[in-house]
Amino acid sequence: PKTNTLAIVSLVSSLVGVFVIPIIGQIVGIITGHMSLSQIKQTGEGGRGLGLAGVIIGWAGVALVVLGQVVASRSFTRRLVQ
């Protein structure tokens, strides 16, 4: 079957979000990944793994950015207190 285009866009965007443009690429990857999974379910196209990978990588990247912000914030706050 034909590979869903949004699934490819999702994976590429999520990877761009991890390596080049944090947050923006990941959000695009998450949104297009969910859209592709919905289309794949309706049309029977291929690319479910690509769409799923885009969603997972996107959310994992967002989680890492948030975790990094929390750690940096705590570190900065501890320096101010000491």
Side-chain angles (χ1 to χ4, degrees), residues 13-51:
S13 297
S14 290
L15 290 173
V16 166
V18 170
F19 295 111
V20 182
I21 309 169
I23 298 296
I24 295 171
Q26 295 157 344
I27 291 172
V28 171
I30 291 167
I31 292 170
T32 56
H34 283 292
M35 290 170 58
S36 73
L37 292 174
S38 175
Q39 286 181 0
I40 289 167
K41 187 183 260 187
Q42 292 174 354
T43 63
E45 291 177 307
R48 183 176 186 278
L50 296 174

Side-chain angles (χ1 to χ4, degrees), residues 1-21:
K2 180 180 166 260
T3 303
N4 185 284
T5 305
L6 280 177
I8 297 168
V9 170
S10 172
L11 181 60
V12 171
S13 297
S14 290
L15 290 173
V16 166
V18 170
F19 295 111
V20 182
I21 309 169

